[in-house]
Structure formats: structure tokens, C-alpha cells
Amino acid sequence: MPMDDVVSQMRKFMEPKSVAIMGLSRTPFTIGKTALDILAELRACGYQGKIYPVHPQATELQGIKTYASVADAPADIDLAIINLPRELVPGIVKECIDKGIEAIAILTQGFTDANDEKGDQLQKQIDDIIRGSKARILGPNSIGTANAYANISLGFLKTQMEEVPVSWITQSGLFFLGPLGLKPFGKGIDLGNACDIHFADALEYFEQDDETKVIALHIEGMRDTKKFLRTVARVAHKKPVVAFKTGRSEQASHAVLSHTGSLTGRDELWDVAFRQAGVIRVNDIEELIDTVRAFYILPLMKGKRVGIVSWSGGANIMAIDACQSSGLEIAKVSQSTIDRLRTLYPSWQDVRNPADIWPAVMIAKKASLFEVEKIVLETLLDDAGVDAVLCMLGAFISGLEVEFTKIVTQAAESHPGKPFVFHPYAGGFYSEFKDELEKTNKTMVFSSPQRALRALKHLSDYAKLSAYPDT
Amino acid sequence: MPMDDVVSQMRKFMEPKSVAIMGLSRTPFTIGKTALDILAELRACGYQGKIYPVHPQATELQGIKTYASVADAPADIDLAIINLPRELVPGIVKECIDKGIEAIAILTQGFTDANDEKGDQLQKQIDDIIRGSKARILGPNSIGTANAYANISLGFLKTQMEEVPVSWITQSGLFFLGPLGLKPFGKGIDLGNACDIHFADALEYFEQDDETKVIALHIEGMRDTKKFLRTVARVAHKKPVVAFKTGRSEQASHAVLSHTGSLTGRDELWDVAFRQAGVIRVNDIEELIDTVRAFYILPLMKGKRVGIVSWSGGANIMAIDACQSSGLEIAKVSQSTIDRLRTLYPSWQDVRNPADIWPAVMIAKKASLFEVEKIVLETLLDDAGVDAVLCMLGAFISGLEVEFTKIVTQAAESHPGKPFVFHPYAGGFYSEFKDELEKTNKTMVFSSPQRALRALKHLSDYAKLSAYPDT
């Protein structure tokens, strides 16, 4: 199918102008005071399109006029959302197609993910119904799509989204809920069982989408691996694609069959395939989030050479270990860097990278802590042999983060092409540090040197893919 | 030296009844409004012993009477703390010994950690001075000791301590400042360059100490590895010893020489030695803190078989991957467990471990979300084939943590011998969850399934060391 067609089909899922909802309850499921309900969520996220709730008995739900069937609703329906018991789904899909609806999202579980024959039969009925029609199906067993730019979220759970150029293609609604530390969620599509709409379709949409700069994938398994790999290899050379492939073991494969009915494939093959396609593979949810954020916030890292500065010699040694394990290198700094640092240090101290500046801080008679930090940070960033800088310091006093934010802002303005990141090794005021420094959108704060350097390594690897715009 | 002697020597460092301080400034070094000053910190932490500040010019500092020299101070000095320029240190050590002081902590840097000959010479002078005396030296380049049970903290930085039975032996002051997530810091000793007091001395002290239940080591390197390994193998069979050995690479070894003047040793040899000694080795600062906390908070894990319950099939698959990578096993649950779970599930759903309970929650007509969660958690904990349980759920609604705390408290009372841990996979109310659930002191909350299972694996490994008391 021509890519333009796929993109226009995907638009109906990602930017629908009108939605029909089938499967609303007159008494929504609630946890505490929160209703887990598609209509409530759609309105809460500020959706401006038309909403046509369908309910055989009701005349209105949550103050909105309902229709007895989708046939009775107005004709201009971009997208139908189905969250009915599984036995009813094929019949409703048929009604939607008869109505001329071309985008259908099925949230219901119990199809190829079920442990019985009935699930497979129902899926086959759906396949038969859509064959030959223009309709495309998202799911079943999907939580829908979300798009902060279009104020739309189709699931029954609160999506943690904001207008950032980071787009997610997943096989679990989990990511829509905002895992710890996941701030950038701009657009998302949950493929669920992926009976029709696949990774390749979603990738083509985000490839063309100007509001998407980074693409994150959560993959459990798939059937058409070839088409996926062909597509992702093309897209990954235009925009960074970060992939979290789960379901690695034999045991996990069984669980994946029960979850999304997908085939996991041999894990070593995925490793090779991702590498060949230029996809950045990550191994756990923390690395996924760190990496996606790094691509969103930081510039790429042009080489592998890291400059390190810390108040703690002990932290520097941890960072050297982390450099080695992540595959980065400790930069050999220039003579001019050494000469500049020497003016700050006590005479007995070795001047090297990593820079241990606490002795310099302790003897600084005129210079303050912040002046020493600023000079050392700028000196390392100025060095042509340094591709990125990691700063580690103690967040043990409230207010430090304010001074550091000034230093960060200045350094970023004078060194826009080099990433620099922070690890505050004392936790007393870690959150204040993180919040304040990251507000600048110039740096990232990590909870360990390992995590910081792992993220930088991905920026360095991706910089080698030449097609990526150099910013 | 007999162990009792070592313990009584160490007491003077860890529980001194009186301290003399040499190297206080009349204008303390400050960051913002915080004075980084030994006297200020000692008073701030509520020290109840006698303090004798020594200053050649002052008559009082911070309202406390000073002495022109240590010779002029009263005779009952348990511990001398020296933070003077390095050239003055040997002379002051001599004065301390002449005064009969048997415990001397040197905070000054620039001895074997320095890049010049002078540093080595000064160290040799100190070695010569203490030879034949009863005096023991902590440091140089140490941040001292801290002991929440004795309200003492000798460093010039605020120590994050509280009365918990977790003791730290480190080669960096970093750990005294409370790295992110480090709550249990009860007692600590920073060996610095370890010219005299070594890991073995501190281990013997904590071995005998009833207030110590878990020992954490941060090791960069050492000279007398044999003595250390002999001692730690004995101690590790009585109390869990968790070791974070840094300085793994060639490059790191150089940095260690500049930091604490220690020899790192080949990393593979450390791996073997730790395993033989029964020491739990960890690989980064997050694993260190997770593991120490797990030993402090959770019971040991009797086997390797994990029960998993989640609202998210996707999270379950991540947990299976993490189980495999950490070396644990997915428990094969009993028929009675399967029968109990089946009553909650939709008919089409496969009943297995991991348990994906969201479909059960969605069809629960009478049972609430919390009832389903409680039944499944208790069912897994009841199963004799399950050694620990991991629960994953979405922290996307405020207030959930209160209900879960009730479930946790009840489950802990009825299953005191099995660890169970949580991963809230939505970050919206993660901190509330963590704070509330961990208040019970019965469970731990982790930011990823990987981190949760890695910590459980250490509990499982240590349970095999038979001498450890069984709770």
C-alpha cells in the first residue's frame, strides 16, 4: 500500500475529528473517585472533536446525547472505539463498516490473547469482516491512541501526556500511564494484539509527522518482522528509534502469547536486526526512559570521549568504571586544559581527567565553590578532545541547584553542540536539583553515573548514523 | 592483635566520650548559609561528650572554650581529629601521642593520595611516629566516623544518619552524605587512605556490635587483602556483608592511586574472592542501596521461586525477563493456587504465574480491585512453591497506596518469612506509594521489576549461608 494511504489511515486514529464510542457503561468502573471510562477520559483531556456515544438503552451519558446504535449516529465518524464483551465485537465491527467507518479501535481483550478457541474464532470473524473493506483495525486488546497535540486520549485510563516531540508505539497500555521518570510522552499508539495495524504502519505515520523527533518502541513480538525491519531501518536513519524488546526467554514467549498473542522470536536475532537497522536497543524500563529523554533533551555526542568533574574522588572512580562498562572513553584532555585546571588545584594534586575539584574548592581563597565548578565545567567543554561532560556533586544543601542552573544555562549557550549531564550523589535535595536543572531543557540529572554514561553512549552511537540532522 | 583489643580501639573512634579538634578556622568554609566545619557538625548532630577545640590564636570558637595546643587540653581525650594543612600533621600527631591519645583521625588530604614525593614523605613520618605507640590512625584523607546511636559525626559535612542497624565501611565520604534512596545509614567509618585502620579492623568492630545487622563496604583497593578476606569470610557468615568494589579498570586503578593511594587489584580476582567469602558483590550505587535496604527491611528468600502479580500483562513479561537475567525462577504454582485464581478470572483467560489480574478486576462484579489484589497476593504467598512475591500495579491514582498499605500489613503478618515487594509502574504517585508502603517496614518499593528481582536474588543467595539467623 502506498505510504500516503497508510499515513492518511493512521491520521484517523491519531487525529480523528469525530469518534463513536461503543461499550460505555451507565455505571462506569471506578477506583476511588476516579472513573475509568473512555468518555470521561476523552473529555478530561480536552478533546475538541465530535463525540457520539452509542448505548442501546441510554439516551444520554455524562450529559452527552447517545445513539441506540452506530447506524443511528451521524455519518461523519472518523474513528469507532469498541470496548464491548468479546462476543459482540465482530457484529459491531460489521455495523461500523456498513456505516463507512474506516478506523476501528478495539479495546476488548480475549481474542488471540485468550487461552481458548473461541478467541481465535472471534478474531477470524473480524478478519473476514474487514477483508476487502477500507477499514483498518487497531487492537484488539489495545488501550487506543493518545495525542497531546490533538487533545485526544482513547483509553479508559488517564494518559500522562504533554506537547513534546516524542512518540510511542507500544504493546502495553502501561506506557500511557507515565512510568516513573517518563515525562516526554507526546503521542502514542498501543497496538495490542496488532491483528491489522502493525509497527510498520505506526512507524510510517511518525516518520512523516513533523511533531515527532524521537520514536520509542515497546515490542513483545510480531508476525511480519521483515516489513517492520525494512521500515524501521529507513525511519531510524531520519529520527532516533529506541526499542525495548521484552519477552526474551522461552518462558516469556508463552506469556507473550497470552498477553498479545504475538510471536517473540529469538532474542539474539533481534539484537542483530536492531543493530543492522540502526535502532537503539535498551534493556530495561529505566534505560528506556533515560534514553528517550536524552534524545529529546540533549544534543548528540560527536565521539566517545567523556570529561568528568566531581567533588568526590570516589564518585570519579565509579564514573571511570561506568565509562568502561558503557563503552565510552575517558577523554585525554589537552595541555591547555591541564594548565587552566592547575591554577585552581593545590600543588600536590595530580591534574587529570576525571577532575577531582574538592581540594581546589577547599583551598579557594578568592574563588567560590561555584566559580571553581564553572571554570572546570567550561574548561572541559572547551576542550576539543572532550565530546560530553559528566558533573557529579553533592546535593546536600538546599539552594545549590539555583546556582548550578545559572552555570548550566551559560555553559549550554556557549557549547550548544556538546551534551553535559549531572549526577548529584547526595540525595538530600536530589529532586530539587533534578527539577531545577532540567527546567532549563539543556541538561539531564541522573541517579547514578552508570545511568548517565549509558544514556550518553546511545547519543554517541546514534551520532554515527549520518542522515540524522546535526543539532 | 587480639580481637578484643581491636574492638576497644575502634570504640574510641566510633563512641568517643571526648574529642579534641585541631584545624578549626575562625571563619569556617561555607556554602550558602551552611558552615562546613567539624565543630558545627558535631554540635548539630547532638554530640553529648566533651569537645576540646584547639586553636593557637583563638580563646573560643562558636561559644566553646579553646586550647592553644592539645598539650594544654584536659587529659581525658578519647579521640583527636586533625584537619590541618598536611605539613603540620606529623607534628600534631606527635603531640597527640605525647598526650597519650590513642585514637587519631586525620581528615587532611595530600599524603599517599598526592602526586608528589612530599605526600609519601609526610606519610612515612606519621608511620614512624606511631610505631611502638598504642595510637591508631584513621585516614588520612578520611571524613571520619559517624554513629547515629552515639550522636556523633566527625566530618565537616552533614551526615544523613538515623538509628538503623546498618553499618558502612567506606573509602569515600560520599556515602556519609546519603546517596539517593540511602535511608539506612546507622554507623559509618570512612577509611580514606587507610594507612593504619583497615577494613579488617572496622569489620571486627561491627562483627561484635549488636546494633549492626547489615554491613556495607565501599572498597577502592587495599594492601592487606589476605587479612581482609580472612576477616570478612568470618563476618559474612554472621551478618550479610554487601560490597561495592570500584576501580575495576586499568584507568580506574590510576585514579584510585590519586584518590586513596590504594591498590585496586585485578577485578576478576575480587569476584572470586567475594564469592568464596560469602560477600554479596554489587555493581553500581543503585544496586548497593537497593541491596542494603533489602537486607535491612525484608526477610531472606528461602529459595529462588518468584510469584508475580500485576495489573499489566506487559509488566509481567518484563518481570519474566528480569527473573531470567537475575538468576531467579518463575514459581510453578500449585493446583490449589490455580483453582483459587480461576474463580476470579474470565473463562477465556489462562491461569498461570505471573498472574495478570486486570481482566479479573474488569469483570469483578462483587469483589473490588483491592479484594482481587488481596486474594491473589495472599494466594501466591500461601503457595509453598513460592519463595517471594513481586506485585506490579499502576500508581496512577492518589490514595491507592493507603489501601495497599492495609493489604501489605495483613499479608506480612500472616507470611512473616517471605519477602514481597512492589513495583508501581505508573509514576504519577510513585513517591506517595513508596513512602506509604515502606513506612510499614514490611515491604520495599522499586522503580523497575529488574531492580526488585536483583535485590531478591541477593536475599536468596545469602539465605544459603547457613549460619545466618533465620528471619
Side-chain angles (χ1 to χ4, degrees):
Chain A
M1 189 178 294
M3 196 158 76
D4 286 355
D5 288 0
V6 172
V7 170
S8 69
Q9 287 166 345
M10 291 301 301
R11 275 212 186 101
K12 290 191 193 293
F13 288 99
M14 296 302 300
E15 319 149 29
K17 294 194 175 55
S18 54
V19 295
I21 311 172
M22 281 143 281
L24 291 165
S25 170
R26 279 178 292 186
T27 52
F29 180 78
T30 56
I31 297 182
K33 289 177 185 166
T34 307
L36 304 184
D37 173 281
I38 301 165
L39 181 55
E41 167 64 3
L42 198 51
R43 300 176 75 196
C45 75
Y47 180 59
Q48 299 294 313
K50 291 173 194 156
I51 308 177
Y52 307 129
V54 174
H55 196 288
Q57 282 92 40
T59 53
E60 60 103 19
L61 288 172
Q62 300 173 39
I64 298 192
K65 173 179 160 47
T66 60
Y67 301 86
S69 74
V70 71
D72 299 336
D76 62 338
I77 300 171
D78 269 355
L79 171 68
I81 310 165
I82 302 176
N83 193 32
L84 291 160
R86 64 175 184 166
E87 295 77 13
L88 303 179
V89 173
I92 298 291
V93 169
K94 176 80 170 57
E95 284 183 35
C96 290
I97 289 175
D98 291 345
K99 183 79 180 178
I101 298 172
E102 294 178 10
I104 302 167
I106 304 174
L107 277 52
T108 311
Q109 303 184 305
F111 294 88
T112 54
D113 52 306
N115 193 36
D116 60 3
E117 277 179 37
K118 180 84 179 177
D120 291 336
Q121 285 165 8
L122 289 166
Q123 181 58 55
K124 201 172 163 303
Q125 287 175 35
I126 295 171
D127 296 343
D128 292 342
I129 291 163
I130 62 166
R131 191 169 301 126
S133 81
K134 282 187 175 175
R136 306 269 340 239
I137 304 273
L138 175 64
N141 190 18
S142 159
I143 204 159
T145 62
N147 182 347
Y149 293 84
N151 292 318
I152 187 157
S153 162
L154 303 181
F156 45 80
L157 295 169
K158 177 96 206 120
T159 299
Q160 297 294 327
M161 61 188 184
E162 54 186 305
E163 285 190 29
V164 289
V166 180
S167 295
W168 291 73
I169 311 172
T170 77
Q171 289 192 284
S172 169
L174 183 158
F175 295 95
F176 284 49
L177 304 179
L180 185 64
L182 173 66
K183 280 279 168 58
F185 183 97
K187 302 184 183 186
I189 178 164
D190 176 27
L191 303 178
N193 295 358
C195 80
D196 178 31
I197 300 238
H198 282 260
F199 281 98
D201 301 301
L203 277 167
E204 291 193 353
Y205 173 77
F206 289 131
E207 177 184 12
Q208 300 294 316
D209 178 34
D210 290 338
E211 287 155 351
T212 296
K213 295 225 157 27
V214 185
I215 300 170
L217 309 179
H218 162 249
I219 303 170
E220 291 187 349
M222 62 181 73
R223 280 177 178 81
D224 195 349
T225 319
K226 273 191 191 157
K227 187 175 177 196
F228 164 71
L229 289 173
R230 205 168 52 232
T231 310
V232 80
R234 186 184 70 233
V235 178
H237 282 73
K238 297 182 189 166
K239 305 177 180 187
V241 178
V242 181
F244 181 33
K245 166 73 182 72
T246 64
R248 301 185 139 203
S249 62
E250 188 69 15
Q251 210 157 13
S253 302
H254 290 295
V256 168
L257 263 179
S258 299
H259 181 230
T260 52
S262 311
L263 300 175
T264 51
R266 275 183 49 208
D267 199 62
E268 317 82 81
L269 297 183
W270 280 103
D271 253 348
V272 175
F274 283 137
R275 209 172 315 122
Q276 285 178 346
V279 172
I280 298 118
R281 183 174 194 175
V282 295
N283 292 303
D284 65 43
I285 200 162
E286 293 186 322
E287 184 179 9
L288 172 63
I289 289 163
D290 287 351
T291 307
V292 167
R293 301 191 68 226
F295 277 108
Y296 162 59
I297 296 169
L298 302 173
L300 292 183
M301 181 173 171
K302 302 286 166 50
K304 294 167 75 173
R305 303 160 303 175
V306 188
I308 296 172
V309 49
S310 177
W311 300 356
S312 160
N316 276 343
I317 288 156
M318 293 174 206
I320 296 173
D321 286 343
C323 228
Q324 189 192 26
S325 65
S326 68
L328 292 172
E329 291 166 11
I330 301 294
K332 288 199 184 77
V333 293
S334 70
Q335 189 57 44
S336 104
T337 292
I338 289 175
D339 293 343
R340 268 170 89 181
L341 296 183
R342 200 188 297 286
T343 61
L344 303 168
Y345 280 35
S347 64
W348 54 261
Q349 200 189 349
D350 197 12
V351 183
R352 58 162 73 231
N353 175 38
D356 175 3
I357 65 165
W358 193 253
V361 169
M362 294 305 282
I363 63 159
K365 297 290 178 205
K366 290 171 201 164
S368 81
L369 168 72
F370 303 110
E371 280 161 357
V372 171
E373 183 73 41
K374 182 170 147 48
I375 294 167
V376 177
L377 175 60
E378 299 256 1
T379 302
L380 288 175
L381 284 170
D382 284 345
D383 193 314
V386 171
D387 301 309
V389 174
L390 167 64
C391 297
M392 295 176 288
L393 36 83
F396 55 87
I397 298 174
S398 173
L400 281 183
E401 69 279 7
V402 178
E403 292 295 330
F404 275 94
T405 300
K406 289 181 203 159
I407 295 174
V408 163
T409 308
Q410 251 180 324
E413 275 164 16
S414 47
H415 306 84
K418 284 186 190 178
F420 58 99
V421 295
F422 285 82
H423 165 56
Y425 55 74
F429 299 92
Y430 178 85
S431 305
E432 286 89 329
F433 240 92
K434 187 170 171 74
D435 293 348
E436 190 71 21
L437 265 65
E438 292 193 346
K439 251 190 231 159
T440 64
N441 260 335
K442 306 288 188 197
T443 189
M444 277 176 73
V445 171
F446 290 91
S447 55
S448 76
Q450 282 82 359
R451 285 175 68 167
L453 292 170
R454 187 174 61 181
L456 288 180
K457 177 59 163 48
H458 290 308
L459 295 181
S460 169
D461 285 346
Y462 192 71
K464 291 185 205 153
L465 286 191
S466 56
Y468 187 73
D470 186 347
T471 47
Chain B
M1 191 180 289
M3 196 159 75
D4 287 355
D5 289 1
V6 172
V7 171
S8 68
Q9 286 167 346
M10 290 302 300
R11 276 214 185 100
K12 289 190 196 291
F13 287 99
M14 295 302 300
E15 318 149 28
K17 294 194 175 55
S18 53
V19 296
I21 310 172
M22 281 144 280
L24 291 166
S25 169
R26 279 178 291 186
T27 52
F29 179 78
T30 56
I31 298 182
K33 288 177 184 167
T34 306
L36 304 184
D37 173 282
I38 300 164
L39 182 55
E41 167 64 1
L42 198 51
R43 299 175 76 195
C45 75
Y47 179 58
Q48 299 295 313
K50 292 173 194 159
I51 307 176
Y52 307 128
V54 174
H55 197 288
Q57 281 92 40
T59 54
E60 60 102 21
L61 287 172
Q62 299 172 41
I64 297 193
K65 173 179 159 49
T66 60
Y67 301 87
S69 75
V70 71
D72 299 336
D76 62 338
I77 300 171
D78 269 356
L79 171 67
I81 308 165
I82 302 176
N83 194 31
L84 291 159
R86 64 177 186 167
E87 296 76 11
L88 303 179
V89 174
I92 298 292
V93 169
K94 176 82 169 62
E95 285 183 35
C96 289
I97 288 174
D98 291 345
K99 183 78 180 178
I101 298 172
E102 293 178 10
I104 302 167
I106 304 175
L107 276 53
T108 312
Q109 304 184 306
F111 294 87
T112 54
D113 51 307
N115 193 35
D116 61 2
E117 276 181 37
K118 181 84 179 176
D120 290 337
Q121 284 165 8
L122 290 165
Q123 182 57 56
K124 202 173 164 305
Q125 287 175 35
I126 295 171
D127 296 343
D128 292 342
I129 290 163
I130 62 166
R131 191 168 301 122
S133 81
K134 283 185 174 177
R136 306 269 339 239
I137 305 274
L138 175 63
N141 190 17
S142 161
I143 204 160
T145 63
N147 182 348
Y149 293 84
N151 293 319
I152 186 157
S153 163
L154 303 182
F156 45 82
L157 295 168
K158 177 94 205 120
T159 300
Q160 296 295 327
M161 61 188 184
E162 54 186 301
E163 285 192 29
V164 288
V166 180
S167 296
W168 291 74
I169 311 171
T170 77
Q171 289 191 284
S172 168
L174 182 158
F175 295 94
F176 283 49
L177 304 179
L180 185 63
L182 172 66
K183 279 280 170 54
F185 183 97
K187 302 184 183 186
I189 178 163
D190 175 27
L191 302 178
N193 296 358
C195 80
D196 179 30
I197 301 236
H198 282 262
F199 280 97
D201 301 303
L203 277 167
E204 291 192 353
Y205 173 77
F206 290 130
E207 177 184 13
Q208 300 293 317
D209 178 35
D210 290 338
E211 288 155 350
T212 298
K213 294 227 155 28
V214 185
I215 300 170
L217 309 180
H218 162 251
I219 303 170
E220 290 188 347
M222 61 182 73
R223 281 180 175 77
D224 195 349
T225 319
K226 273 191 191 159
K227 188 176 177 196
F228 163 71
L229 289 173
R230 205 167 52 231
T231 309
V232 80
R234 187 184 68 232
V235 178
H237 282 73
K238 297 182 189 168
K239 305 177 180 187
V241 177
V242 181
F244 181 33
K245 167 73 181 70
T246 64
R248 301 184 139 203
S249 62
E250 187 70 15
Q251 211 159 9
S253 302
H254 290 295
V256 168
L257 264 179
S258 299
H259 181 231
T260 53
S262 309
L263 300 175
T264 51
R266 277 183 46 210
D267 199 62
E268 317 82 81
L269 297 184
W270 280 104
D271 253 348
V272 176
F274 283 137
R275 208 171 318 123
Q276 286 178 344
V279 172
I280 298 117
R281 184 174 194 177
V282 294
N283 292 303
D284 64 43
I285 201 162
E286 292 186 321
E287 184 179 8
L288 171 65
I289 288 163
D290 286 350
T291 307
V292 166
R293 299 191 70 227
F295 277 108
Y296 162 59
I297 294 168
L298 301 173
L300 293 184
M301 182 174 170
K302 302 286 166 50
K304 294 167 75 174
R305 301 161 305 175
V306 188
I308 296 172
V309 48
S310 177
W311 300 355
S312 161
N316 277 342
I317 288 156
M318 293 174 205
I320 296 173
D321 286 343
C323 228
Q324 189 192 25
S325 65
S326 68
L328 292 172
E329 291 166 11
I330 301 294
K332 287 198 185 78
V333 293
S334 69
Q335 190 56 45
S336 104
T337 292
I338 288 174
D339 293 343
R340 269 171 89 180
L341 296 183
R342 201 187 298 283
T343 62
L344 303 169
Y345 280 35
S347 63
W348 53 261
Q349 199 190 349
D350 198 11
V351 182
R352 58 162 74 229
N353 175 38
D356 176 2
I357 65 166
W358 192 253
V361 168
M362 294 304 283
I363 64 157
K365 297 290 177 204
K366 291 173 197 162
S368 79
L369 168 72
F370 303 111
E371 281 162 356
V372 171
E373 183 72 41
K374 182 169 147 49
I375 294 167
V376 178
L377 175 60
E378 299 255 2
T379 301
L380 288 174
L381 285 169
D382 283 346
D383 194 314
V386 172
D387 301 310
V389 173
L390 167 64
C391 297
M392 295 176 289
L393 34 86
F396 56 86
I397 299 174
S398 174
L400 280 184
E401 69 280 6
V402 178
E403 290 297 328
F404 275 95
T405 300
K406 289 180 202 160
I407 295 174
V408 164
T409 307
Q410 252 180 323
E413 276 165 16
S414 48
H415 306 84
K418 284 185 190 179
F420 58 99
V421 296
F422 286 82
H423 165 57
Y425 55 73
F429 299 92
Y430 179 85
S431 305
E432 287 86 331
F433 241 92
K434 188 171 170 73
D435 292 348
E436 190 70 20
L437 263 65
E438 292 192 345
K439 251 190 228 159
T440 64
N441 259 335
K442 306 286 187 198
T443 190
M444 276 176 73
V445 171
F446 291 90
S447 56
S448 77
Q450 283 80 359
R451 285 175 68 167
L453 292 170
R454 187 174 61 180
L456 288 180
K457 177 60 161 53
H458 290 309
L459 295 180
S460 169
D461 286 346
Y462 192 72
K464 292 185 203 152
L465 286 190
S466 56
Y468 185 73
D470 185 351
T471 39

